[in-house]
Amino acid sequence: MRFFMLIGFNLLTALSSFCAAISANNSDNVEHEQEVAEAVAPPSINIEVKYDVVGKESENHDSFLEFYAEDTATLAYNVTNWEDTNITIFGVNGTIVTYPHGYPVADITGASIGPYEMEVNGTSKFGQDVTLNLPEGQYFLIPFLLASRFDEIVRIAAPPTLFEIVSPPISFFNPQFLSVQVIFLAIIGGVSYYYMKSKTNQRPSKKSATVKKVDESWLPETYKK
């Protein structure tokens, strides 16, 4: 009996040691994952980024701004530095994703700006042109600013903007519209022609008058032909 109790005690001790080792290993893995996440995550920076789309101002941020394909959207930025040190804004880029699924469809071409040296609590204003070479549909525009703080490069996301690419209105002189007009006028002309022709064929024909010979026997000789 004591022999079996001794074996059971040894098994419990071994299981306890094994569980403690697994727990320590899991703890090490969690700490390692946190270190990796912190290393990969972009550095945070206390910068306030606002911008307006020139000519498309809207009080409702949930509404879609309308553009035609290959239009140019001009972004007017207003950036405020809430850091406790000076920073420098030196570039802009961004991405465009579909709404509502969020699939990337285009990159905003990076461009150099400034550089703008921003003091603590300072504000800078500048612009960016974005060509919307996209098919019809609904999208998110997500701009990014590139800034430097000491020797550190940071990428600052600006608020996304909803916009929609719509079909342009058909011009009266558009070739497709003109072809429709020509076909329509041809149909009207053809129907009018056949209608007038049928009316002409239905008119009664005038009978030619027959010349009756007049009895001239009773007329004097001077009046006879």
Side-chain angles (χ1 to χ4, degrees):
M1 184 69 178
R2 291 180 180 178
F3 177 74
F4 289 109
M5 292 178 62
L6 181 61
I7 292 176
F9 178 76
N10 290 334
L11 287 174
L12 289 174
T13 303
L15 287 173
S16 299
S17 300
F18 181 71
C19 291
I22 292 176
S23 177
N25 188 32
N26 289 338
S27 178
D28 292 340
N29 289 338
V30 170
E31 291 179 359
H32 178 67
E33 290 176 358
Q34 290 177 348
E35 291 175 358
V36 171
E38 291 175 357
V40 173
S44 61
I45 186 169
N46 192 11
I47 299 294
E48 182 181 9
V49 180
K50 297 180 180 179
Y51 66 91
D52 293 320
V53 182
V54 178
K56 300 287 185 178
E57 290 78 4
S58 175
E59 295 181 357
N60 185 4
H61 296 287
D62 295 331
S63 61
F64 289 88
L65 304 181
E66 290 188 354
F67 293 92
Y68 301 131
E70 299 184 2
D71 272 357
T72 297
T74 300
L75 311 184
Y77 290 95
N78 189 337
V79 183
T80 304
N81 177 21
W82 298 120
E83 287 283 302
D84 56 2
T85 184
N86 295 350
I87 66 165
T88 302
I89 304 292
F90 63 88
V92 291
N93 57 21
T95 186
I96 296 175
V97 301
T98 59
Y99 174 86
H101 302 98
Y103 299 131
V105 293
D107 290 327
I108 300 174
T109 304
S112 298
I113 58 172
Y116 297 98
E117 300 286 343
M118 298 183 62
E119 298 180 352
V120 177
N121 299 331
T123 299
S124 288
K125 296 181 180 181
F126 49 88
Q128 177 190 16
D129 290 335
V130 180
T131 301
L132 304 175
N133 188 11
L134 298 165
E136 294 180 18
Q138 296 177 334
Y139 303 92
F140 273 121
L141 171 67
I142 308 174
F144 290 94
L145 304 183
L146 301 178
S148 61
R149 179 181 55 183
F150 302 114
D151 294 331
E152 182 182 37
I153 304 298
V154 291
R155 195 172 183 227
I156 309 166
T161 293
L162 285 169
F163 72 96
E164 183 176 13
I165 301 295
V166 298
S167 57
I170 298 178
S171 171
F172 182 82
F173 298 101
N174 185 290
Q176 294 181 349
F177 187 63
L178 286 176
S179 63
V180 173
Q181 295 179 67
V182 170
I183 294 173
F184 183 70
L185 292 175
I187 293 174
I188 293 178
V191 171
S192 300
Y193 172 77
Y194 284 108
Y195 176 77
M196 296 301 296
K197 187 176 181 180
S198 63
K199 284 291 186 181
T200 303
N201 293 334
Q202 291 176 2
R203 289 178 182 176
S205 59
K206 295 182 179 180
K207 295 182 179 180
S208 57
T210 56
V211 180
K212 294 182 178 181
K213 190 174 181 179
V214 179
D215 184 10
E216 299 177 350
S217 59
W218 59 275
L219 291 174
E221 291 294 332
T222 55
Y223 291 99
K224 292 181 180 180
K225 294 181 180 180

